Amino acid sequence: MIRISEAESRVMHVLWDNAPQDAEAIIAALAGSADWQDKTIKTLLNRLLRKGAISAERDGRRYLYAPVLTREDWQADESRSLLERAFDGRLAPMLAHFTRHEKLSEADVAELRRLVEAIERRQTPRTPQ
């Protein structure tokens, strides 16, 4: 899996939300959320290119960047990494931690119920009819 830093992930979010984009559009998108110089963002783009997380296609005098690494693959890898490092690979203690230390909305609780019910349906043995 491709490992990306926190700073690189901010660039990836811009591309996941709207791609392809040139460097100037990416710089503009990050202007409100990051106090980075243009050169910093271009360095991050080059790092992501070297890692294979994004691609660059020439479009006249500029390059258009697009994600190669999907948001879903990145989230899965980051989730697995957090689970392994902080909770010994166990999901229940992680969920317990978040329910004790984070405010869950009614929608979050409803979604968790749906997920648990789906897990229970998959794990319940079916009797032959």
Side-chain angles (χ1 to χ4, degrees):
M1 183 50 72
I2 300 168
R3 294 279 179 199
I4 59 175
S5 70
E6 176 66 28
E8 292 165 344
S9 74
R10 293 175 78 179
V11 173
M12 291 299 295
H13 281 285
V14 169
L15 290 171
W16 285 324
D17 290 343
N18 187 19
Q21 292 191 57
D22 65 10
E24 297 307 314
I26 295 166
I27 290 166
L30 289 168
S33 65
D35 189 24
W36 293 335
Q37 299 295 320
D38 296 4
K39 185 177 178 182
T40 302
I41 295 170
K42 290 177 182 179
T43 297
L44 292 170
L45 286 168
N46 283 322
R47 284 185 195 165
L48 289 166
L49 275 168
R50 282 194 306 273
K51 291 179 180 186
I54 64 173
S55 64
E57 183 178 316
R58 198 174 221 0
D59 181 45
R61 296 184 64 193
R62 64 184 184 157
Y63 284 94
L64 294 177
Y65 299 94
V68 173
L69 175 64
T70 67
R71 186 186 313 247
E72 294 77 18
D73 286 344
W74 175 74
Q75 287 172 332
D77 188 54
E78 288 292 311
S79 299
R80 261 185 254 105
S81 178
L82 172 65
L83 196 61
E84 290 298 325
R85 286 181 289 116
F87 299 97
D88 293 325
R90 298 186 55 230
L91 185 57
M94 183 181 80
L95 289 174
H97 169 80
F98 282 111
T99 60
R100 281 194 300 269
H101 300 285
E102 301 294 327
K103 174 124 176 72
L104 297 175
S105 68
E106 287 183 30
D108 290 335
V109 172
E111 180 65 18
L112 285 171
R113 274 197 188 97
R114 282 191 295 276
L115 290 169
V116 169
E117 289 168 1
I119 291 167
E120 288 173 339
R121 281 193 301 273
R122 286 193 311 257
Q123 293 179 349
T124 304
R126 296 184 183 205
T127 56
Q129 295 181 6

